Amino acid sequence: MACYEKEKLRRLLVVCGHFMYHQTHQGGGQAAVLTLLQKDGPMTQKALQEKLGIRSGSVSELVGKLEAKHLLLREKDPADRRKVVLKLTEEGASRVRFHLPKPPQTLFDGLTDQEGCELTALLEKLLASWER
């Protein structure tokens, strides 16, 4: 099988772009919720609001969006059935890795200097062709 498949290359660029976006746009609302739930575990919406330091309406909106994306669940607290706790889904937990910031200088540590030069040249060539 050839290493150059246009659809595979497109998908890889999309995933890399998504990853790079989240590494350079730290602290977004949904990312902050996912990261907190990953770090601190299930919690009430009120506890989440206090940790984020935002209004209850803002938390409700964030939670609703994440729930619609199947990234978190609202579940009855087994210790107190009157309370609802927020919990990451498996999908939500797997997405957290895109939201954990890394120092920008480490993003390309997986490449040798030569590979970095080659990738830079190829991306510049591709971008130039798109701009024509």
Side-chain angles (χ1 to χ4, degrees):
M1 182 188 302
C3 71
Y4 178 56
E5 297 173 28
K6 290 180 181 180
E7 182 56 25
K8 180 179 180 181
L9 179 59
R10 186 198 66 76
R11 282 193 317 269
L12 286 169
L13 285 171
V14 167
V15 171
C16 287
H18 180 78
F19 188 86
M20 292 291 298
Y21 173 83
H22 287 290
Q23 294 308 309
T24 58
H25 294 83
Q26 301 169 17
Q30 292 182 25
V33 171
L34 293 174
T35 303
L36 262 175
L37 289 173
Q38 176 74 18
K39 184 177 132 248
D40 296 346
M43 66 182 72
T44 65
Q45 196 161 311
K46 179 74 172 166
L48 182 64
Q49 175 190 344
E50 290 170 0
K51 286 180 183 262
L52 292 173
I54 60 177
R55 296 181 319 235
S56 62
S58 299
V59 171
S60 294
E61 184 179 343
L62 287 170
V63 167
K65 287 178 180 179
L66 290 167
E67 189 175 33
K69 293 177 183 179
H70 306 288
L71 301 178
L72 67 75
L73 297 170
R74 297 176 210 228
E75 294 183 342
K76 294 278 185 192
D77 184 343
D80 183 348
R81 304 286 296 161
R82 296 171 295 174
K83 290 183 182 177
V84 174
V85 294
L86 306 174
K87 179 180 171 183
L88 284 180
T89 63
E90 284 186 37
E91 175 69 15
S94 72
R95 295 262 183 110
V96 171
R97 67 187 164 111
F98 285 113
H99 300 290
L100 297 176
K102 291 180 175 40
Q105 65 273 19
T106 66
L107 291 174
F108 300 101
D109 284 353
L111 301 175
T112 65
D113 287 344
Q114 178 63 35
E115 290 167 335
C117 290
E118 291 171 9
L119 181 59
T120 299
L122 290 169
L123 290 173
E124 286 173 343
K125 182 178 180 178
L126 186 59
L127 186 57
S129 76
W130 291 345
E131 291 175 339
R132 281 188 238 138

